Amino acid sequence: SKKSHPPKNNSRLLLSELPTPSFVINKYSLIQNCQQILDSAKDRNLKIRPHIKTHKTFQGCWIQAYGDCTFGTSKDNNHNNNNNVTGFVTSTLPEIQMLVNAATTLKITTAVSPSNGTTIQQSQQTTNPFCDILYGVPISASKLPMIDKLRQQLQQSCDVDGQEQDGTTSKSSCIHILVDHMEQITAVEEYLNKKSQSPQQPFSVFIKLDTGYHRAGVPATSPKAIQLAMRIHESPFVNLVGVYSHCGHSYNINEQDKLHDIVTTDMEQIHTFLTSFRSELQKKTQPSSPSIVDDLIVSVGSTPSVFHHEHLNTPSSNKEIPNLEIHPGNYTLYDRQQLWTGACQNESQIAGRVIARVIGHYEDRNTILLDAGALALTKETTPQGGMCSIMNGTTGTVYPNVVCLKVSQEVTIVQMADSSTSCTFPFQDFPLGSIVNLLPNHSCLSAACFDKYYIIDDPTCTFSPNQEIIDEWIPAKGFTIN
C-alpha cells in the first residue's frame, strides 16, 4: 500500500503516548542509511537493485531509490533517478503488488524525458525502478497466474512501446521470476500453453545460483547450472536476463578477511558459470549466441558484503563481470546482527525500534517485565546474546549492565547482566508504565510483526519519549493478492 496517514498537526501523538508494543522508524536514520549506500554505489559506478523485504513500504522503496522523502509531491511524476538504481527485489506477492500500484499511481515511464516530457531514445531513458521488479524466491507453479496478472498491470502502467532494430516492440517494464530447477521451466511452459491468447509473452527469468549459502539455488559450478541455463535458452516461453546469488552466510561473519573470502568465492563461482555457459553456447548454437552471456545481469551481495564485490570486479583480476548489481536490503533499518557484523557502525543507524512499556517490577528476583515479547521481537538470536538491547532514551546508547534475558509470546524478562546477588536492578530508571525502546536482533522479522509503523524524524537518534509521531506507514502484509 502507498497509504500514508500523517496525524493532524494539532493532535500529534508523542512517542510516549503510543500503544505498546509498537514499531517506530526514525525517518532521519533511514534516509541517512539509504543515502550512504546510494552515494557509495555512485562513487563506485555500481548498479543497485534494493531488496524491500525489511520495510515492505512504498515510502521505504522511494527512499531506497532516491535518498529523499519527496513522495506525495509534484516531484513524483517526473523524478529523475540519478542513483544507479535498476529496480527492486521482493519476497512476497503483496510486495510486488505494492510496487505495481505505485508505478500506476506515479505514472513514471522510462521513455519520457524528466526535463521536458518528450519521448526519447532507449539509450537516453531514465530508469524507473518501480517498473523493474524481481520476485526473489524460486517460483512455484501456483504463483504463475498471479505473477502474470501483476506483470500485465505493470506493463499497462509503465510501458511506452518503441521499435527495436529487429522490428519487435520493446518494453520498459518487467517482473522477473527466479528459477533453480528444470521443472520450474516446464511449469512456465505448461502455464503459457494453457492460455488462450496468442502469441504468448515469455516470462523473464533470473537463475538462482548457490555460491556457498546453501539455502536455495543450483550450485554455480555444477553441470546442472549449465543444463538449466541451456534449457532456458532453448525455450520460447522464457527469456534469460540474469543470474542471482545471495551471500547470506556473510551474516555470520564479522572479520573482514573471512568476509573477503566469501565474496571472492561468490565472484569466482559466478565467473566460472558464465565462462562455462559461454563455452556451451559456442558448441551448440550460432557464433553470435555467446554474446548473450555478456548481456546477463549479475545480481549479488548482501548487506554485510555490499561493497566487497566491487573490489574484485576489475579488469586486472581477469575475472571482471559485466552488468554487476548489488541487492542489499537490511541496511534500511539495520539491527543488532548487522551491528555485530560491522555493516552497521553504531546504534544511531538502527532506524527501526520496538517500543514497549515496563509492566512489572520483581524485587525478589531482581527483574522487570516488558509488554513486548516474541510476537514483537521474535526469538531470533545474535552473537551478542540476549533477545534485544534496551536503549537509553536520553543518551541514545545501550543501557549498561542489563540484558533482555527471555521472551515469551507477549512479554520479555529483563535482568542484570551480572546475575549475582550483589548487583541490584536499577528499578528507579524503569518506572512502572514507562516507555523503553528496544533494538531488535533482526529488524526484517521484527518489523513483519506489525501492521503499521509509526514514523519520527529524530536527528539525535535517541527515540526519546517526547518525539512527535509525524506519520504512519502501512507495510505490504500477507502472502497472496486479490
Side-chain angles (χ1 to χ4, degrees):
S1 171
K2 189 190 167 186
K3 293 179 180 178
S4 182
H5 303 283
K8 295 179 181 178
N9 288 335
N10 61 357
S11 61
R12 278 184 173 173
L13 287 174
L14 300 180
L15 190 144
S16 62
E17 298 172 322
L18 290 177
T20 50
S22 289
F23 197 82
V24 175
I25 292 177
N26 183 8
K27 187 174 69 173
Y28 175 85
S29 296
L30 170 59
I31 291 174
Q32 294 293 309
N33 295 341
C34 292
Q35 192 60 60
Q36 181 183 31
I37 295 295
L38 291 171
D39 289 345
S40 297
K42 190 173 183 179
D43 290 344
R44 293 165 168 81
N45 197 31
L46 272 176
K47 300 293 185 182
I48 315 177
R49 183 183 296 273
H51 209 306
I52 73 170
K53 71 182 181 70
T54 301
H55 58 84
K56 301 175 183 280
T57 63
F58 160 76
Q59 294 88 346
C61 293
W62 184 275
I63 294 170
Q64 282 180 293
Y66 303 118
D68 62 36
C69 54
T70 57
F71 35 77
T73 70
S74 60
K75 200 174 181 181
D76 281 356
N77 289 335
N78 289 313
H79 200 297
N80 189 7
N81 173 20
N82 294 316
N83 294 312
N84 298 341
V85 179
T86 60
F88 292 108
V89 188
T90 67
S91 287
T92 66
L93 297 177
E95 291 169 19
I96 299 176
Q97 187 171 49
M98 176 191 68
L99 292 171
V100 172
N101 291 344
T104 302
T105 303
L106 296 174
K107 293 293 184 183
I108 312 174
T109 64
T110 60
V112 174
S113 165
S115 58
N116 57 25
T118 58
T119 301
I120 55 179
Q121 297 299 316
Q122 179 77 23
S123 61
Q124 298 173 305
Q125 290 177 0
T126 300
T127 301
N128 172 18
F130 287 90
C131 289
D132 195 308
I133 305 165
L134 171 61
Y135 180 43
V137 295
I139 192 66
S140 65
S142 65
K143 294 185 175 70
L144 287 172
M146 291 178 279
I147 294 286
D148 198 17
K149 175 183 175 182
L150 288 167
R151 67 175 182 158
Q152 291 176 34
Q153 293 175 6
L154 186 67
Q155 287 162 5
Q156 291 172 4
S157 301
C158 294
D159 286 345
V160 176
D161 294 344
Q163 290 297 119
E164 300 286 4
Q165 290 183 353
D166 61 3
T168 61
T169 300
S170 64
K171 296 291 184 182
S172 58
S173 69
C174 201
I175 296 176
H176 315 282
I177 60 174
L178 203 62
V179 300
D180 57 8
H181 198 280
M182 295 281 200
E183 289 186 12
Q184 293 160 334
I185 307 306
T186 302
V188 172
E189 292 171 337
E190 290 176 350
Y191 169 74
L192 289 178
N193 271 323
K194 289 178 182 177
K195 292 184 67 176
S196 58
Q197 69 252 38
S198 182
Q200 300 294 347
Q201 182 186 353
F203 275 85
S204 177
V205 168
F206 277 65
I207 296 176
K208 178 65 180 288
L209 297 177
D210 175 22
T211 62
Y213 187 29
H214 305 322
R215 181 177 68 181
V218 58
T221 58
S222 71
K224 286 185 177 180
I226 304 306
Q227 292 164 8
L228 178 59
M230 292 301 296
R231 174 80 169 83
I232 296 169
H233 175 66
E234 293 164 359
S235 174
F237 295 95
V238 285
N239 291 329
L240 180 60
V241 297
V243 298
Y244 185 98
S245 73
H246 176 54
C247 293
H249 44 321
S250 65
Y251 279 54
N252 300 319
I253 300 297
N254 71 345
E255 299 176 35
Q256 292 301 303
D257 57 339
K258 292 182 179 179
L259 182 58
H260 180 82
D261 291 343
I262 286 175
V263 173
T264 300
T265 299
D266 184 60
M267 296 288 277
E268 287 179 344
Q269 291 194 13
I270 291 172
H271 185 270
T272 297
F273 166 81
L274 295 175
T275 302
S276 299
F277 184 31
R278 181 182 287 106
S279 176
E280 193 69 14
L281 286 168
Q282 288 172 336
K283 292 177 187 176
K284 297 188 177 182
T285 61
Q286 275 76 28
S288 61
S289 294
S291 66
I292 295 169
V293 178
D294 296 329
D295 294 331
L296 291 179
I297 298 168
V298 178
S299 194
V300 299
S302 63
T303 290
S305 68
V306 62
F307 290 123
H308 287 260
H309 286 82
E310 178 265 345
H311 296 300
L312 299 177
N313 197 38
T314 59
S316 60
S317 71
N318 296 319
K319 293 184 179 180
E320 185 178 17
I321 295 175
N323 306 317
L324 187 70
E325 65 179 29
I326 53 176
H327 52 243
N330 182 273
Y331 70 94
T332 52
L333 301 184
Y334 286 125
D335 50 34
R336 291 185 77 219
Q337 181 75 33
Q338 297 302 338
L339 198 60
W340 178 81
T341 67
C344 173
Q345 299 299 310
N346 54 67
E347 289 85 359
S348 68
Q349 291 181 281
I350 301 179
R353 312 281 179 92
V354 174
I355 305 302
R357 279 188 170 83
V358 179
I359 59 171
H361 277 190
Y362 306 102
E363 291 84 354
D364 61 314
R365 48 191 182 268
N366 220 25
T367 64
I368 65 171
L369 196 68
L370 308 180
D371 66 353
L375 294 185
L377 293 162
T378 77
K379 288 192 173 183
E380 283 283 285
T381 59
T382 58
Q384 302 100 308
M387 307 311 298
C388 59
S389 291
I390 298 183
M391 300 299 294
N392 187 314
T394 301
T395 64
T397 57
V398 175
Y399 206 94
N401 304 320
V402 299
V403 59
C404 298
L405 177 67
K406 182 180 179 181
V407 296
S408 302
Q409 180 169 312
E410 308 293 354
V411 297
T412 295
I413 298 172
V414 182
Q415 70 171 31
M416 297 299 295
D418 182 353
S419 59
S420 65
T421 56
S422 60
C423 296
T424 302
F425 195 92
F427 293 100
Q428 70 281 1
D429 293 342
F430 299 91
L432 280 169
S434 63
I435 285 281
V436 294
N437 82 77
L438 310 174
L439 299 185
N441 286 347
H442 191 168
S443 60
C444 308
L445 294 183
S446 187
C449 296
F450 296 86
D451 293 323
K452 88 168 58 163
Y453 308 145
Y454 294 97
I455 309 303
I456 62 175
D457 191 3
D458 178 16
T460 71
C461 304
T462 59
F463 286 72
S464 65
N466 62 354
Q467 279 291 321
E468 288 187 337
I469 306 303
I470 62 169
D471 207 349
E472 297 173 6
W473 295 352
I474 309 300
K477 300 286 288 183
F479 302 98
T480 189
I481 62 172
N482 298 325

